[in-house]
Amino acid sequence: MRDCSNRAGFDRVLMAVAATFLTVSATSALAAPSDTPRASAAELAIDAAVPRPEPANVPPPTIGDFKMDSTGAVPDAAKGTDKATEKPAEPGMAQKAAEPKTDIKPTENVTAPAAKPSDAATTTPPAATATAPAPEPAKEPVKVSTVAPADQPVADRLRDMLGAKSLRYFDRKNERAAVEKFYSTRDYAPQWTQAGKLTDSGKGVIARLKDAAAEGLNPADYPVPDFAAATSPDQLAEAELKLTASMLDYARQAQSGRMHWSQVAGDILYPEHPTDPAEVLANISTAKDASAALDGYNPPHKLYKDLKAKLAELRGQGDGPMIHIAEGPALAYKAATKKQGEVAPEDPRVPQLRAKLGVTENPDGTYYDAKVAAAVRKFQESADLKPTGVLDDRTVKAINSPKRDRQIDTVLVNLERLRWLPRQLGAASLGNAYVILNVPDFTLKVMQNGHPVWTTRVVTGKPGKHATPMLTETMKFITVNPTWNVPPSIIYNEYLPALQQDPTVLDRMGLRLERNRDGSIHISQPPGEANALGRIRFNFPNKFLVYQHDTPDKHLFAKEERAFSHGCMRVQNPDQYASTLLNIVMPNERYTPEKIRSMYGRSEIDLKFPTPIPVNITYQTAFVDDAGKLQIRKDIYGRDATMIALLRNGRSKDLEAMVAHSQPSYSRPSGSSLPAGVNFASDNTFSSGPSFFERLFGGPSPMTPPAPIGRRPQPRFTR
């Protein structure tokens, strides 16, 4: 079918042209002289046939009266949309088009909508596109401030201070960067105040900082600004940053300690666990209870919480009525003998002495009995007095000293040392199982699910250069029938001087002396009953080369103070210890002490742990025992005295820096100075041999030396 959609427009144009022609013709005819003769009768007939319009005062049409129909140039795709809105042409449209219209404006003619890009592209004349104004570039959206109008002046000051003076409040680079980012993301709105008033978050942080002493910390290290006196935006902004700085200091020291462990000694090594200032800011600012959230950076261990409670008790006694022991005659208890009965002098001061020293049994008893004498002896040990158990004048004066005494200081430094321990003491997959050894108490405990499952006595290192180090490592295997590879320090300091006096001393001790290619020597003792390590060695590889082991010298466990070793720890009941650990890591194997002893022989057997067990070697001179009583032990290595002096010197933040210490040297001594007549187990020159660490704990690819001539290699089994 033919498309007639443009017919109406064509007709209107044609009729307009015809009307124009007739109008011009009529005007010309009227203007001509009336006496013009007609050419002929035919012309007269034509004139009579043509209708003559009435004269009208109408101006001649202009180009504005004629518009092209825009629908004639619209593509087919656009026609479909226009047809839906276009009205059908009415009858007589041609006649209406012929009539001049003076009251219709050109802009009222029907055109394609200008909003449609496709229409504009097809209907706009070239001249129009050339003169059309260029569209304005898109403007960036205006960022709306999220700061309340009342806090905007403080926010403006915070922006200026953090841009120019942040170093004044935050001397640590990571904290300064975290604070700047924290406030910039909140448009520098204050965190601790709102409209000049403290928020709940600010009140919680201030309460926690003021209670720092309850955690064994010094409140003076965390100054709290006076927000009540801050009335101007400058003062509020400065108080805001000061409180943020104190809060970050508290979180950092609560978690890692007021001093780094390297400040105390070079034989301490614990894993670092510093705070992340960005995490602290996010945690405290979003917590419902800011005080509780800040308290969460203190150690979560039961050891810490129990000792903290005892600190409160000690200070509570100091705040309450003081118990004063009057001077009097010396009191001494003597146990009964075959010739003489028990001597327990009676004295009216004894009930006060019982209360003062925490002797709960028979609190009203007036006799100076064995219980009271034992309590006096323990107090004397804690006060660095000779532990005689006799109540003399010097002891009475020490007992009557203010409660801010050595005992509280001892608790404070022990709380500090507990901050060095890892937050997770045990292996989570093993019911949080771990080993903890307290050097001053000479005890070892195996813990699981928060409870002790086994305890034994231990012998630890001598004070001085043989002190047992403080560390956290993981026990990876047990060796049954171990070979004792003599440490280089013992070779240097003990065996070489002994060889100078007696070249046969090593043979008599059952030790083997071997020479390596580089001239150094290696001394070892093969497995057996007389081996210095006994029958079992417990291995947790560490840089100090210490371990736990059995011993043939069982008599030392009967002593109260047991610091006799070269640094390693001797265990009283190693077969029970081994079976306890193996049943934790391999419960289906059902190890017993009898099963462990059945492995005793002359061949080394390694029992590897599928999951290593953490070993924590601590130095707790103050702790709470299983009965809930505070126990004080002698500071055998002088750690307490060192830490008390450091904490009193006022250099709080300086103490957090790590101190570099010279590392222990494990180079083997040269054998060039050995006297004549010393017998070697072999004169192999295969290589310099494995290092002492590899001989002790194994290495990634240890070399196995050939067996000495005339000797069979010692077999080693791994299970």
Side-chain angles (χ1 to χ4, degrees), residues 270-288:
Y270 288 115
E272 304 278 359
H273 48 271
T275 56
D276 177 1
E279 183 276 334
V280 174
L281 289 165
N283 180 27
I284 305 303
S285 63
T286 58
K288 293 182 179 180

Side-chain angles (χ1 to χ4, degrees), residues 12 45-46 70 94 165 189 192 254 259 330 342 379 384 388 435 445 480 491 537 647 658 685 699:
R12 287 196 296 271
I46 293 172
S70 61
K165 300 179 181 179
W192 315 122
M259 70 174 67
E342 180 185 57
F379 172 81
D384 284 349
T388 61
V435 174
K445 291 183 179 180
V480 182
I491 294 176
R537 186 180 68 215
L647 291 175
M658 177 180 287
T685 57

Side-chain angles (χ1 to χ4, degrees), residues 144-220:
V144 180
S145 175
T146 59
V147 182
D151 293 327
Q152 190 62 54
V154 181
D156 293 339
R157 293 303 301 131
L158 284 173
R159 184 193 306 271
D160 296 340
M161 288 182 176
L162 288 173
K165 300 179 181 179
S166 61
L167 184 61
R168 172 182 170 186
Y169 304 100
F170 309 98
D171 54 359
R172 295 173 182 269
K173 185 177 180 181
N174 63 334
E175 291 184 356
R176 186 163 63 251
V179 169
E180 291 174 354
K181 183 176 181 180
F182 172 76
Y183 280 102
S184 65
T185 56
R186 50 189 290 119
D187 289 338
Y188 297 93
Q191 168 65 33
W192 315 122
T193 60
Q194 200 169 49
K197 304 296 182 182
L198 275 172
T199 61
D200 290 341
S201 180
K203 293 176 182 177
V205 169
I206 290 174
R208 180 56 52 187
L209 297 183
K210 289 184 176 180
D211 196 38
E215 304 292 339
L217 301 172
N218 185 4

Side-chain angles (χ1 to χ4, degrees), residues 473-478 539-541 607-613:
E473 276 296 349
T474 53
M475 188 181 298
K476 297 176 173 60
F477 64 102
I478 293 173
N539 307 285
F540 42 97
L607 303 175
K608 295 187 178 296
F609 291 179
T611 302
I613 293 182

Side-chain angles (χ1 to χ4, degrees), residues 373-558:
V376 169
R377 186 180 298 108
K378 284 189 175 181
F379 172 81
Q380 290 170 332
E381 289 178 349
S382 68
D384 284 349
L385 299 174
K386 188 176 181 180
T388 61
V390 176
L391 183 69
D392 52 19
D393 290 342
R394 190 177 180 187
T395 303
V396 170
K397 289 181 181 179
I399 292 176
N400 288 332
S401 64
K403 291 308 296 182
R404 177 65 191 183
D405 60 3
R406 186 179 299 274
Q407 195 172 34
I408 286 183
D409 286 340
T410 299
V411 171
L412 291 176
V413 294
N414 276 271
L415 288 171
E416 178 74 8
R417 284 194 289 265
L418 289 174
R419 299 182 194 279
W420 301 342
L421 294 176
R423 286 299 183 264
Q424 180 73 24
L425 290 177
S429 61
L430 300 176
N432 198 32
Y434 62 92
V435 174
I436 186 165
L437 187 148
N438 184 8
V439 173
D441 192 44
F442 308 106
T443 56
L444 178 151
K445 291 183 179 180
V446 179
M447 304 289 293
Q448 189 176 32
N449 297 317
H451 301 285
V453 297
W454 188 77
T455 304
T456 192
R457 290 186 165 200
V458 295
V459 172
T460 60
K462 304 172 186 176
K465 61 184 179 181
H466 294 305
T468 296
M470 299 167 59
L471 58 84
T472 290
E473 276 296 349
T474 53
M475 188 181 298
K476 297 176 173 60
F477 64 102
I478 293 173
T479 301
V480 182
N481 308 317
T483 295
W484 181 38
N485 296 288
V486 182
S489 61
I490 298 179
I491 294 176
Y492 263 125
N493 300 322
E494 298 182 23
Y495 288 167
L496 289 186
L499 284 171
Q500 296 288 346
Q501 300 295 325
D502 182 0
T504 65
V505 65
L506 297 183
D507 291 337
R508 292 188 288 102
M509 294 176 62
L511 300 177
R512 295 172 53 190
L513 180 64
E514 298 173 272
R515 191 200 304 272
N516 296 305
R517 171 184 291 179
D518 61 1
S520 63
I521 60 175
H522 172 245
I523 299 177
S524 63
Q525 186 180 28
E529 293 181 359
N531 188 284
L533 306 185
R535 287 296 190 175
I536 307 175
R537 186 180 68 215
F538 303 87
N539 307 285
F540 42 97
N542 58 86
K543 78 170 190 175
F544 302 110
L545 302 181
V546 296
Y547 43 85
Q548 297 162 357
H549 61 88
D550 182 18
T551 177
D553 299 326
K554 304 290 187 182
H555 67 281
L556 295 177
F557 294 109

